[in-house]
Amino acid sequence: MKTKIFAAFVLATIFVLGFASAALTLTPSSLTLDKNDTTESFTITNGGPLNTSITLSSQTITQNGKSVTIGFNQSSLAITNGSSAAVQANVTSQESGFPYGEFSKTYTINDTNNSVTSELTLKFINSFCEDGSVNETDLRLDVNIKNHQNKDK
């Protein structure tokens, strides 16, 4: 009988702890920045029953020895249970000669109070277009080549 009571107690404890764990949600969970769109926002939501303590640090995307650094407008956050906080990510530096293309880094955000993590994908697009990156699926080029010196016979 004591074994059954103990087993029921252990299962109930596991069940309660499973629902009492903290949950961090990032919305959106991916940010895309480029040389003309250097600021993006996201929200951290504490969906758990406990308060959170989060420290954010600058992140560096490095490619071919060149780097882009992305910082945050807040470095330390305390979010009460059931609440949210808005955070801005900013390109704080971009080395000259950073290669063209899309590069990303996954940043793991830690809740130091509850040992909970959530991942934020940081993407940086460097393009040769002075207006920043474009959506290539909507890109249309019309090319007209005329050869006026060597006319074909």
Side-chain angles (χ1 to χ4, degrees):
M1 180 67 171
K2 288 181 183 181
T3 306
K4 289 181 183 178
I5 293 173
F6 180 73
F9 173 75
V10 169
L11 288 174
T13 303
I14 292 170
F15 181 76
V16 169
L17 289 176
F19 283 108
S21 66
L24 288 180
T25 305
L26 307 178
T27 309
S29 61
S30 180
L31 303 177
T32 302
L33 303 119
D34 64 43
K35 64 183 178 183
N36 292 325
D37 184 14
T38 59
T39 301
E40 290 289 327
S41 297
F42 66 102
T43 302
I44 303 173
T45 302
N46 175 4
L50 305 172
N51 295 340
T52 63
S53 178
I54 298 169
T55 302
L56 299 175
S57 59
S58 295
Q59 298 296 299
T60 302
I61 299 172
T62 303
Q63 191 67 32
N64 297 341
K66 303 293 182 179
S67 62
V68 170
T69 302
I70 300 170
F72 302 97
N73 69 332
Q74 300 186 59
S75 59
S76 184
L77 297 115
I79 306 171
T80 59
N81 58 326
S83 298
S84 299
V87 179
Q88 260 187 351
N90 306 295
V91 175
T92 56
S93 69
Q94 177 187 352
E95 268 188 85
S96 177
F98 191 82
Y100 295 122
E102 179 178 314
F103 306 97
S104 64
K105 178 177 186 175
T106 301
Y107 177 34
T108 301
I109 296 175
N110 297 301
D111 172 5
T112 55
N113 279 352
N114 305 299
S115 301
V116 176
T117 63
S118 195
E119 291 185 343
L120 176 67
T121 301
L122 300 168
K123 295 179 187 176
F124 183 79
I125 300 174
N126 192 28
S127 70
F128 57 86
C129 181
E130 67 184 40
D131 292 328
S133 63
V134 295
N135 182 351
E136 289 84 8
T137 59
D138 295 336
L139 183 63
R140 180 176 173 203
L141 298 175
D142 290 324
V143 179
N144 188 1
I145 300 173
K146 294 182 181 180
N147 184 351
H148 292 288
Q149 292 182 359
N150 296 323
K151 296 183 180 183
D152 293 329
K153 296 181 182 182

